[in-house]
Amino acid sequence: MSTAISPFQEEQSLKFFNEINRHLGMRSRDKLVMLVRAVLFNVRRSLSEDQAALVGKRLPRLFRKLFRGDKQRHEEQLSIKHLDELVDTIYREDRKSHNHSLFTSEIDTLNAVILVLNKLDRFFGILQLNVFRYPLMQELRQAAIEEAV
């Protein structure tokens, strides 16, 4: 397996971060990366090892690093069936880091999670892998429809 980043993957990664930043208006590139990491890492925690490997293969190298997180820490697997459970988990963990809070509210977290997951799907097709629970997928689709209206 090649570890080189293709120009296409690099371009897609830059476009992804630019679109997220355009929607969220974050001033710090570091916070933007931390936000995407929070979403990816908690999504990974809700997947089996096989499912996580499948998603990881679809992502460019930078995103795989964010997706895997810190392998030094043992993280418990989460049972996330609904979007609100994912949002609540991410928001609670963000509250623990008082100095570097990414989100101002649960609504802010919800909007960011929906945006990140939908953009990950648009750029890298992660939602088409059928590894996410059905209710979560339905809620993401509904949110995308509501955003389009």
Side-chain angles (χ1 to χ4, degrees):
M1 174 188 241
S2 172
T3 59
I5 297 176
S6 74
F8 178 74
Q9 283 183 327
E10 188 172 333
E11 181 181 337
Q12 290 297 92
S13 297
L14 288 173
K15 283 182 179 179
F16 170 86
F17 279 108
N18 286 337
E19 284 198 23
I20 297 294
N21 196 37
R22 186 171 45 90
H23 285 283
L24 298 179
M26 298 188 87
R27 300 182 197 275
S28 166
R29 195 60 113 173
D30 289 343
K31 281 197 171 193
L32 182 62
V33 171
M34 288 169 50
L35 182 145
V36 172
R37 181 205 175 276
V39 175
L40 280 171
F41 178 69
N42 282 290
V43 163
R44 183 192 57 77
R45 289 175 58 201
S46 72
L47 301 175
S48 71
E49 289 296 321
D50 290 340
Q51 291 169 324
L54 190 62
V55 172
K57 287 178 186 176
R58 182 71 60 105
L59 297 171
R61 187 172 59 190
L62 167 66
F63 291 88
R64 281 195 302 267
K65 288 181 180 181
L66 299 173
F67 184 64
R68 283 193 307 257
D70 182 5
K71 288 210 171 209
Q72 304 298 329
R73 294 183 344 190
H74 174 66
E75 297 290 340
E76 68 182 69
Q77 186 169 7
L78 302 174
S79 176
I80 293 178
K81 296 177 185 168
H82 296 277
L83 183 58
D84 66 326
E85 294 168 334
L86 178 61
V87 168
D88 185 53
T89 299
I90 293 170
Y91 184 70
R92 274 188 286 114
E93 288 184 6
D94 184 57
R95 294 291 98 198
K96 291 178 188 174
S97 61
H98 303 290
N99 313 5
H100 304 96
S101 289
L102 300 169
F103 308 104
T104 56
S105 67
E106 285 187 78
I107 297 296
D108 186 34
T109 310
L110 173 66
N111 291 332
V113 168
I114 291 169
L115 177 66
V116 168
L117 290 176
N118 284 331
K119 294 296 179 185
L120 284 168
D121 186 49
R122 180 172 158 232
F123 283 96
F124 311 115
I126 68 160
L127 298 180
Q128 298 160 22
L129 296 172
N130 293 324
V131 296
F132 299 99
R133 302 264 175 106
Y134 182 77
L136 176 62
M137 291 297 301
Q138 289 301 102
E139 292 160 353
L140 285 169
R141 285 186 187 114
Q142 183 64 35
I145 290 169
E146 289 172 7
E147 184 179 309
V149 173

